[in-house]
Amino acid sequence: MWRIGTGGCIVKKEMSFEALELIASRFKVLAEPMRLKLLHELSSGERSVTELIEATGASQANVSKHLGILLEAGLVKRRKDKLNAYYSIADESVFKLCEVVCGSLAEHLETKRKLVG
Amino acid sequence: MWRIGTGGCIVKKEMSFEALELIASRFKVLAEPMRLKLLHELSSGERSVTELIEATGASQANVSKHLGILLEAGLVKRRKDKLNAYYSIADESVFKLCEVVCGSLAEHLETKRKLVG
DNA sequence: TTATTATATAGTAATAAAGTCAAATATCAA
DNA sequence: TTGATATTTGACTTTATTACTATATAATAA
């Protein structure tokens, strides 16, 4: 995508629905707070599943499932050592995305605050 | 968020779950291909609902509903003129987000292609 | 081998979201 | 006022997603 904008990105006249579905599915992966928490935790370095369970307070099965989703999406990578599985960030772009969202949200909330009071 | 990375963003040690939910909800808005299609359509300028119905091929009620979600999220703005409602982009950050996702996806798919064949 | 630990997966119930149809609202014209 | 057009909203159905529980797998130790 999408247009000439900040960062000099490319204009595309047509955008296939398949492409849009692909992009949407990436956003969907990031659309869960628990997965964001996992990514946030991993932002400071590799963690074992056990460590992530402790850090998030979520159940073991839940953490494992979310990690599977992040892995499938290519956002994290997995390393097995003895009994443990260690996860780490595989795609730094997630931080860029969150940064952009944070900026936009701050502005949006500020606007709303001004309007609503 | 989130860490020192490309673009010089801020490290935050702690990230409240509320903040993560807020970020996730923004991603959720973008996690539907039809909404992305609407945004893509609007990227070249203001459109009436009727025009968006034609452009997307979705039903009128469906388009209206998605537009409502985008509006609520502050991504688009609405202008009423006579019988028509005109929508336009209110938050250019969505294009930045899609640009980042596109870049990341291209890389991810390329990697997968190399591995799987 | 059996037991133990770490992780993943299957089945399931509750929740949420998308899409459809019909009805409601709003604006304008006759 | 009545009728037509543009858009929104509500009720409903279908489909997805989450999180839970229990079970399965995998690696190691005894």
Side-chain angles (χ1 to χ4, degrees):
Chain A
M1 273 208 151
W2 281 75
R3 85 186 302 204
I4 299 166
T6 43
C9 52
I10 302 161
V11 175
K12 288 225 176 120
K13 282 278 164 73
E14 290 302 319
M15 201 74 195
S16 76
F17 203 72
E18 290 76 42
L20 294 172
E21 281 178 322
L22 210 56
I23 299 172
S25 71
R26 164 61 52 94
F27 282 127
K28 193 169 289 179
V29 172
L30 297 172
E32 284 306 313
M34 186 56 71
R35 288 198 283 273
L36 294 181
K37 189 157 187 177
L38 287 167
L39 291 170
H40 178 57
E41 201 57 32
L42 294 175
S43 73
S44 51
E46 187 184 69
R47 295 281 188 283
S48 72
V49 176
T50 304
E51 288 171 320
L52 291 171
I53 291 164
E54 285 165 8
T56 58
S59 75
Q60 183 268 323
N62 202 11
V63 167
S64 183
K65 207 165 265 188
H66 283 306
L67 286 171
I69 291 168
L70 292 170
L71 186 65
E72 170 70 20
L75 298 183
V76 302
K77 51 178 182 272
R78 198 183 104 114
R79 179 175 73 82
K80 195 78 190 291
D81 184 54
K82 313 220 171 179
L83 275 182
N84 306 290
Y86 294 93
Y87 286 84
S88 56
I89 297 295
D91 187 334
E92 297 278 341
S93 73
V94 296
F95 301 117
K96 184 70 186 168
L97 291 175
C98 287
E99 187 195 342
V100 173
V101 167
C102 279
S104 159
L105 280 175
E107 221 174 291
H108 181 217
L109 294 175
E110 182 64 14
T111 307
K112 261 204 169 168
R113 195 191 56 74
K114 275 182 193 157
L115 291 174
V116 180
Chain B
M1 274 208 151
W2 282 75
R3 86 184 303 204
I4 298 168
T6 43
C9 54
I10 302 159
V11 175
K12 288 225 176 120
K13 281 281 163 71
E14 291 301 320
M15 201 74 194
S16 77
F17 203 72
E18 290 77 42
L20 294 173
E21 282 177 320
L22 210 54
I23 299 172
S25 71
R26 164 59 55 92
F27 283 127
K28 193 169 289 179
V29 172
L30 297 172
E32 284 306 313
M34 186 57 71
R35 288 199 282 273
L36 293 182
K37 188 157 188 178
L38 288 167
L39 291 169
H40 178 57
E41 201 56 33
L42 293 176
S43 72
S44 51
E46 187 184 69
R47 295 282 188 282
S48 72
V49 176
T50 304
E51 289 171 320
L52 291 171
I53 291 164
E54 286 165 7
T56 58
S59 76
Q60 184 268 329
N62 201 12
V63 168
S64 183
K65 225 163 250 190
H66 282 306
L67 287 170
I69 291 168
L70 292 170
L71 187 66
E72 170 69 21
L75 298 184
V76 302
K77 50 177 182 276
R78 198 182 102 114
R79 179 174 71 84
K80 195 75 190 291
D81 184 53
K82 314 219 172 178
L83 275 181
N84 305 290
Y86 294 92
Y87 285 84
S88 56
I89 298 294
D91 187 335
E92 297 279 339
S93 74
V94 295
F95 300 117
K96 183 71 187 166
L97 292 174
C98 287
E99 187 194 344
V100 173
V101 167
C102 279
S104 159
L105 280 176
E107 221 175 292
H108 180 218
L109 295 176
E110 181 63 14
T111 307
K112 261 204 168 168
R113 194 191 57 73
K114 275 183 192 155
L115 291 174
V116 180

